[in-house]
Every structure is written in structure tokens, then in C-alpha cells.
Amino acid sequence: MEGMQPYLIVILVQAIYGVMYLLTKVALNHGMNSFVFVFYRQVIATVVLVPIAIIFKGKDALKVSPAVFLKMFMLSLFGITGALNLYGVGLRYTSSTLGAASFNTLPAMTFLLGVLLRMEVVKLKSLSGTAKIVGIVVCLGGAMTYAFYKGPRLLSWSHHDSVARKDSQHSNNTWITGTFILLCGNILWSLWTVLQGRVLKEYPSKLLFTAMQCFLSAIQSFFVAIAFEHDFSPWKLGFDVGLLAVAYCGIVVTSITFYLQAWVIEEKGPVFLAMFTPLSLVINVILSMFLLGEAITLGSVCGAVLLVCGLYIVLWGKNKEAGRSEIHQERQMTVLESTASEVV
């Protein structure tokens, strides 16, 4: 049973994300302002994480140099505040299914940004390097298919058919814009993923790093929300789906999922976690069809297939390259050991 734990936990993580897309979309459909939603989400995450960080790290939690603090502030600004707000706007214009599908472009975008920033190397003459480039192109092709082609309906839940028609009509006018906004949010999130590795070298505690970014993002999100929403009536939270979505994203997604993902990466590595990313899309498609009446179209199926295939091609290339690097290091160690024995 212990051998099954990583599989069960990674499935749970993707299920949590699948529900997150659905709850966020429902809250936005019921009139909740997307900028206010991000603010409350980050406030709850801060309330949960900061006390935990102080309890476990004590006085070290307050020891941050001005230079590192500035880097954290900038990372929070574009990587969390910017990305989440763009995601909220894009989700309002599209669907929870597209939001889940766009998440599959993150590994490809992260790799592409790593190449542009010279943090990743692409060997075009190698099979792994070619695979990563092909995977990126296929991922982008899947996103474009989602944006520009819907096609005939393949499946829909008749009980919510009127709601589905309403959402479809709304999406036809804004779908392309929403897709572009979602991709911009993913670019910011990928850039945050690439750059935070450098900051973690100066501030290695992941718990404190996450708590501090949530705190800074809550402050930034407040000013963003104030700038876009001058009326304070949308700020009122009632006992409805808006409060449920905010609490779920702030507590379950930011706090619990962070720990679970860290545990999976430590046990099985980041590639293992990334390989299960499409599962959140599958879960969201099923939930959205039955609960929101979102129809499954030919375009969404083709786009999802391309996104998932592109993701696995990129992961295969990175895994192949990592394996080759390990073999090369082992050979170097063998040569050094044999040389040392000859000297002795």
C-alpha cells in the first residue's frame, strides 16, 4: 500500500485542481468580481500560511534582506498577482474546461522561457532536443485549436442545455480574447516558476518563501481590485458559492496542495507530478458537463488531445535528457575512480 501512496496523492492533487477551476468559474458566473476574488483568496492563504511559517521557523521568518524582499515583491507582482488576475479575467470570458486545459501548456512555456533566459539548453541535433521543440509547437497548436475552432457538439447534459447555450453564445464573442488572456497568465506563471529558483538559492525555505509571497500578493491584489472595482458592494461575502470558492482556493489549493506537491516531488520527482497534469482536465470536463452544462465539442477534444500530447512529448524529451546526463556523470565518476586507482 505504501508504494501506492504517491499515485493516490498525485491523483488527489489533480482532483483538487479540477474542482478549483469549476468553483472559480461558478463564483464568477454568479457575479463575483474576479479581482476581488483573487484578493480574498490571497488573504485567506496568508492567514493560513504565515502563522504556520512563524511557528515552525520562529525568528528566522522575519530575517529577510532588502534585496531578497524586493525580488520576492517583484515575483509576487507578476508571478502570482498578475497571473491569477489574468487567469480570473480569462476564465470569465471562456470556460472552466479551457482554464484546466491551458494549465497543460505550463511545462512547455516554462521550458521555452528557460531557453530564452539561457537557463535551459536545446540540442537540436539530439532526439530529446527535437522532441522538446516539437512538444512546444504541439502545445501551442492545441491552444490555438481551442481558441479558433469549436466544431459540432459531441456530448452535452440536456438538463443544463439552456445554460450551455447561454455560455456558448457568450463565449463565441469573447472566446479568443479569453484564450489569449489565459495564455498571458500562463506566461507570467511560467516566468515566475523559472525565476524563483534563483531567489530560493538566497532564501532556501520554501514554506517562508511561499508565505511571504502570499502576503505580498494579498497587498498587491487589494490595490489591483480597488483600481478596477470602485463600488464596494461586490466586496461583500455571503454564505454562498463565492465564499466557498475563496475558502477552497485559499486553504485547500494554496496550503494543502503545496505540501502534497512538495511531498510527491520529493518521493518521485517533478516529472512524475507533471505527468498527471492532464488528469485535472479530465476531472474538470466531467464535472463541468454535469454541473455547468458545458458541452464537449470536437474542437475542445482536438485541442485537449494536442495539449496533452505536446505535454508528454516535452516531458519525454526532458526525461531522456536527464537520463543521458546521469549516465554521463556515472561514466565520468568511473573514469575518475579508475584513474585514482592507477595512481595509487
Side-chain angles (χ1 to χ4, degrees):
M1 186 64 182
E2 291 184 1
M4 291 295 295
Q5 281 185 351
Y7 294 91
L8 296 175
I9 291 177
V10 79
I11 291 172
L12 176 61
V13 167
Q14 298 307 324
I16 289 173
Y17 279 125
V19 175
M20 179 195 73
Y21 301 122
L22 180 73
L23 279 178
T24 304
K25 179 62 176 176
V26 172
L28 296 178
N29 282 352
H30 281 74
M32 190 167 192
N33 184 280
S34 60
F35 302 108
V36 175
F37 176 85
V38 172
F39 165 67
Y40 280 128
R41 169 180 174 170
Q42 294 309 104
V43 167
I44 291 180
T46 301
V47 170
V48 172
L49 285 177
V50 169
I52 295 175
I54 293 176
I55 290 171
F56 283 96
K57 297 298 180 179
K59 296 180 179 179
D60 293 337
L62 304 176
K63 294 179 180 178
V64 183
S65 68
V68 173
F69 180 82
L70 179 61
K71 292 176 183 178
M72 286 184 179
F73 182 87
M74 295 306 298
L75 280 176
S76 301
L77 183 61
F78 67 80
I80 300 179
T81 305
L84 288 180
N85 278 290
L86 285 174
Y87 174 80
V89 175
L91 196 62
R92 180 181 288 278
Y93 289 159
T94 55
S95 68
S96 63
T97 304
L98 180 56
S102 68
F103 195 70
N104 290 274
T105 64
L106 287 176
M109 286 185 175
T110 302
F111 170 73
L112 181 59
L113 288 172
V115 172
L116 294 176
L117 294 173
R118 296 184 178 180
M119 298 175 68
E120 289 271 1
V121 179
V122 180
K123 298 178 181 179
L124 295 177
K125 295 182 179 180
S126 67
L127 182 60
S128 60
T130 304
K132 287 189 283 189
I133 296 298
V134 171
I136 291 172
V137 173
V138 173
C139 269
L140 293 177
M144 293 303 100
T145 302
Y146 244 115
F148 295 105
Y149 177 68
K150 284 192 174 182
R153 288 190 183 189
L154 300 180
L155 286 173
S156 63
W157 191 239
S158 57
H159 179 68
H160 296 280
D161 194 51
S162 59
V163 178
R165 283 197 297 270
K166 182 179 178 181
D167 288 346
S168 177
Q169 185 178 4
H170 172 74
S171 298
N172 284 334
N173 300 326
T174 57
W175 193 269
I176 296 176
T177 302
T179 303
F180 177 75
I181 293 174
L182 284 174
L183 290 178
C184 287
N186 284 343
I187 290 173
L188 289 181
W189 190 270
S190 299
L191 186 62
W192 171 74
T193 303
V194 171
L195 294 180
Q196 68 176 319
R198 295 181 177 180
V199 182
L200 282 170
K201 291 180 180 179
E202 302 177 60
Y203 195 77
S205 174
K206 292 181 181 179
L207 177 60
L208 295 175
F209 182 71
T210 304
M212 183 64 73
Q213 286 192 99
C214 285
F215 170 70
L216 293 172
S217 177
I219 297 174
Q220 295 161 356
S221 299
F222 173 75
F223 288 103
V224 172
I226 284 289
F228 285 94
E229 185 55 71
H230 303 291
D231 184 8
F232 277 89
S233 57
W235 291 72
K236 297 178 182 178
L237 286 176
F239 290 95
D240 53 15
V241 68
L243 179 61
L244 175 62
V246 166
Y248 181 86
C249 290
I251 299 173
V252 179
V253 176
T254 305
S255 303
I256 298 177
T257 304
F258 167 76
Y259 173 78
L260 293 177
Q261 286 183 148
W263 186 89
V264 171
I265 291 173
E266 185 178 6
E267 292 290 321
K268 289 288 187 177
V271 175
F272 177 83
L273 178 65
M275 285 180 64
F276 285 83
T277 302
L279 186 59
S280 64
L281 172 59
V282 175
I283 293 171
N284 183 265
V285 166
I286 296 172
L287 292 176
S288 296
M289 184 177 67
F290 286 103
L291 299 179
L292 295 183
E294 292 183 1
I296 299 177
T297 64
L298 179 61
S300 64
V301 171
C302 293
V305 170
L306 288 173
L307 283 169
V308 174
C309 288
L311 168 67
Y312 282 130
I313 292 172
V314 172
L315 292 176
W316 181 87
K318 288 182 70 66
N319 199 35
K320 191 81 173 176
E321 204 168 70
R324 189 186 302 114
S325 177
E326 289 178 2
I327 293 174
H328 180 68
Q329 289 178 359
E330 289 177 359
R331 288 177 177 174
Q332 283 185 324
M333 288 297 295
T334 302
V335 171
L336 290 173
E337 287 174 0
S338 61
T339 303
S341 61
E342 289 176 2
V343 171
V344 174

